[in-house]
Amino acid sequence: MTKDGPRSRTRVPEVRGAQTLHRGLDVLFAVALEVEKPRFGELQERLGIPKASLHRLLAALQSRQLVRYDPQVRRYSIGSRVLDLTRSAQDCSDLIKATRPELSRLTRRLRVPACLYVRDSDAVFVLDFEDPDASQSSVVTVWPRLSMKDSAPGHVILAALPPGRRSGAGGHSDIALAKALGYTIRADDVTGSTRVASAILDTTGHPSGALCCEFPPASRESGYYHECGRVIAEAARRASSNASLGMSTPYVAPVQDAPTDERVEVLDTGRDYMGENPLWDEERGRLHWLDILAPALRSYDPETARSGRVMLPEIMGGLALERNGALVLAGRKGLYRWNAGPGTTSLMLDPEPEKPDNRFNTASVDRNGCLWAGTQALDNAPGQGNLYCIDHDLTFRIALPGIGLPKNVAWSPDGETLYISDGFDQCVWAFDLTDGSMLRNKRRFIAGNSEVGVPNGITVDAEGCVWATMVGNWSVQRFAPDGVLEERISLPVPMPMNLTFGGADLKTLYVTSTYLRLPPGFSSRAPHSGKLLTVTTDARGQPKTRFGLATA
């Protein structure tokens, strides 16, 4: 029962022959949606179900753990199975997977709860959230449903809709302001809190939800909320991009077809949303890699077994070493030099200023010290990217135009063959390399599919064999120079992302992975997903050349 009396129920048509099921669902909804846990008499009064029938329905729901009865207070509440179903539904949501990194970033930066709101008719409700004080509090936060037209997340979703679909959106000036700013600020007259929200858009530009931060009552100037609004709007743009970063669930083999190889070790480096582009620094004896969706720069020292994580301001998809030991990051707006001391980035080059919806996704250095970096569309649209060959003086040319989703570039030991993994084509292409940077004779080297997995990251050992992570196939595979599969190493993760050789003798294979794109149920089946793995091999990798080394 609500404080104002019984809630009104919307009449829905019943399916013939399913009256008992309908009654059971009505009982479940009545238990779940009441503000206060109802007693038996209250349920009977609200639903009008005979006493004996209501007893049987509640007993059936209790037997399936959908409803729980507390004999101490004689009240009913939802059972644990409902929570399991909720978690399963959330696991299936690509939107939640795409926004979860941004929720974490916002709570760390703004120190207030950050929520993902989605629309339900004329209201919005919280689908996922992060609370910076949750671990310090015994109070469970319950997020109420909010009106579409009167709340910040609802208003910003309405503002992102086409004009003909904004029923009840309020004044045109408010809509225009929200569209111009990219965010909305609304005060709650009841609680005194202020909500700032920005819409998340799908690949068609349609709003699929909103990121919203709730600020407690305080005497703050409007400029503060506008500054936070810009931060939230940028997070929403990244979330929109994340939703197109291959966040949809790919095919994954349901189980390992072989036990994890005994040469594989899972390192205690924490979980990455999407680990990519591992790079071994021989001088420092340290591994660097990227967690693209955090986004973060990661590191691991095998001597001390210590790992590091530094948050980055932008999505970065490529990583290379300069001759002076500095790191080069390839990201959303170009190539950056990482300034380790202050922990900042400085822009070196943006070869595509006319393509704001493109980003770099890979970076590798050839034997001459030239950087090969590939771009792709933020929404994964095919043919929008280019593979660039960039010299030490930052002059560049397009070596391969119109590529799909470049993942990695690697070379044969003699430097005469270039390999590139393309996620859109689900294969690894091989080219003859002439005059240092001219590509000829394109041919398919590794073909992926749902049975063998899809090649993602690649590296080439000293014998000229190509090693590839096979997404969906729980494995790393080694191919001879003629393309024949020589070895398959079974892993405890279904979606290995990238790999490189490292260690003092370059015989340790470091493999990154992801957990954010796992299908429902795989979190418990593959608990090591997202962690860094090592594989002890008999093969030896090639030493990494540094960007600009040819001019030293």
Side-chain angles (χ1 to χ4, degrees):
M1 300 283 289
T2 65
K3 294 181 179 179
D4 300 322
R7 287 186 178 181
S8 61
R9 284 191 294 157
T10 301
R11 294 291 180 183
V12 294
E14 294 195 349
V15 179
R16 292 185 61 184
Q19 289 85 354
T20 301
L21 174 60
H22 279 289
R23 283 190 170 189
L25 291 174
D26 286 342
V27 173
L28 178 61
F29 294 150
V31 170
L33 297 178
E34 291 296 344
V35 176
E36 296 180 357
K37 298 176 183 178
R39 296 178 183 270
F40 183 89
E42 293 169 341
L43 289 172
Q44 188 180 19
E45 178 186 354
R46 175 182 173 183
L47 298 171
I49 298 176
K51 184 175 181 180
S53 298
L54 182 56
H55 269 300
R56 287 194 295 271
L57 291 171
L58 285 168
L61 293 170
Q62 287 177 261
S63 71
R64 295 296 188 270
Q65 298 179 332
L66 295 171
V67 166
R68 183 168 59 88
Y69 178 67
D70 187 343
Q72 302 248 339
V73 296
R74 298 182 179 181
R75 292 184 182 274
Y76 292 90
S77 61
I78 60 172
S80 60
R81 183 62 60 85
V82 175
L83 299 177
D84 290 338
L85 293 173
T86 301
R87 283 192 291 269
S88 177
Q90 289 193 351
D91 227 15
C92 295
S93 172
D94 289 340
L95 181 60
I96 285 181
K97 293 178 182 179
T99 55
R100 192 164 289 163
E102 297 307 325
L103 293 176
S104 298
R105 285 170 59 92
L106 286 173
T107 56
R108 284 195 301 269
R109 180 164 180 178
L110 301 179
R111 300 303 304 164
V112 295
C115 299
L116 166 61
Y117 279 89
V118 292
R119 182 179 185 177
D120 181 21
S121 186
D122 59 352
V124 290
F125 68 93
V126 172
L127 190 61
D128 196 15
F129 73 96
E130 285 277 350
D131 188 343
D133 299 322
S135 62
Q136 311 296 324
S137 174
S138 59
V139 178
V140 177
T141 302
V142 178
W143 301 101
R145 293 168 66 89
L146 302 174
S147 162
M148 277 289 290
K149 66 177 182 178
D150 297 325
S151 66
H155 187 263
V156 81
I157 290 174
L158 286 172
L161 288 170
R165 299 183 59 188
R166 295 179 190 151
S167 58
H172 292 291
S173 61
D174 285 346
I175 289 294
L177 182 61
K179 290 183 71 66
L181 291 175
Y183 56 88
T184 290
I185 302 171
R186 287 289 177 95
D188 190 310
D189 295 334
V190 177
T191 65
S193 63
T194 298
R195 296 186 182 94
V196 184
S198 182
I200 302 164
L201 308 180
D202 62 20
T203 55
T204 67
H206 187 275
S208 54
L211 288 181
C212 178
C213 286
E214 183 168 337
F215 298 85
S219 299
R220 295 186 183 274
E221 305 223 352
S222 62
Y224 171 78
Y225 296 114
H226 282 286
E227 185 174 339
C228 293
R230 288 190 288 272
V231 173
I232 296 168
E234 181 61 28
R237 282 193 289 272
R238 282 195 297 264
S240 302
S241 299
N242 291 352
S244 300
L245 274 172
M247 294 305 302
S248 57
T249 301
Y251 173 82
V252 174
V255 293
Q256 291 173 272
D257 58 6
T260 298
D261 195 288
E262 61 183 9
R263 296 170 292 175
V264 175
E265 180 183 358
V266 180
L267 300 182
D268 185 19
T269 56
R271 299 175 79 183
D272 296 322
Y273 291 120
M274 187 177 292
E276 276 282 9
N277 214 146
L279 175 67
W280 178 253
D281 185 341
E282 288 186 271
E283 291 185 3
R284 294 181 175 87
R286 180 178 299 178
L287 184 80
H288 302 282
W289 75 99
L290 294 167
D291 183 353
I292 291 181
L293 295 183
L297 175 63
R298 303 296 320 276
S299 63
Y300 175 70
D301 185 343
E303 288 294 322
T304 62
R306 296 182 64 179
S307 61
R309 177 188 294 270
V310 179
M311 304 308 295
L312 298 172
E314 288 279 356
I315 293 174
M316 300 291 178
L319 189 61
L321 277 166
E322 280 194 284
R323 58 178 176 173
N324 60 5
L327 285 170
V328 176
L329 304 175
R332 183 174 175 184
K333 296 178 181 177
L335 298 180
Y336 298 82
R337 179 176 288 108
W338 171 248
N339 307 307
T344 59
T345 56
S346 53
L347 183 65
M348 299 168 61
L349 171 69
D350 181 7
E352 295 184 344
E354 77 287 358
K355 294 184 176 182
D357 292 330
N358 266 17
R359 71 174 183 87
F360 277 100
N361 194 47
T362 184
S364 304
V365 182
D366 66 19
R367 62 196 302 174
N368 297 316
C370 294
L371 183 70
W372 294 67
T375 60
Q376 67 167 78
L378 283 170
D379 62 0
N380 282 2
Q384 302 302 305
N386 296 303
L387 179 63
Y388 291 90
C389 180
I390 304 169
D391 208 341
H392 66 279
D393 60 358
L394 299 184
T395 57
F396 62 88
R397 69 174 191 84
I398 297 176
L400 190 62
I403 57 177
L405 304 175
K407 297 292 185 178
N408 250 121
V409 176
W411 294 267
S412 61
D414 60 12
E416 295 182 0
T417 303
L418 179 144
Y419 303 95
I420 181 169
S421 176
D422 191 329
F424 181 77
D425 294 328
Q426 297 189 344
C427 74
V428 174
W429 297 105
F431 294 84
D432 293 337
L433 192 60
T434 60
D435 300 327
S437 61
M438 304 303 294
L439 303 180
R440 300 283 188 272
N441 187 25
K442 178 181 179 181
R443 66 248 185 219
R444 197 182 302 269
F445 183 76
I446 302 173
N449 55 50
S450 60
E451 294 183 3
V452 301
V454 176
N456 195 72
I458 57 173
T459 191
V460 180
D461 63 28
E463 298 177 8
C465 292
V466 178
W467 296 71
T469 55
M470 303 301 287
V471 174
N473 190 251
W474 305 74
S475 68
V476 164
Q477 298 181 13
R478 185 192 193 213
F479 297 84
D482 60 2
V484 174
L485 176 62
E486 285 195 342
E487 185 178 10
R488 180 185 184 277
I489 299 174
S490 181
L491 303 175
V493 297
M495 300 183 65
M497 299 305 294
N498 216 321
L499 74 174
T500 193
F501 283 97
D505 56 2
L506 292 181
K507 288 189 174 183
T508 300
L509 198 63
Y510 287 94
V511 184
T512 61
S513 64
T514 180
Y515 81 90
L516 207 57
R517 293 177 62 197
L518 290 177
F522 276 76
S523 294
S524 57
R525 195 177 304 170
H528 297 306
S529 293
K531 293 187 176 181
L532 181 67
L533 315 176
T534 62
V535 183
T536 304
T537 72
D538 293 328
R540 184 176 184 276
Q542 300 183 70
K544 293 293 184 184
T545 311
R546 294 174 180 247
F547 180 40
L549 187 61
T551 65

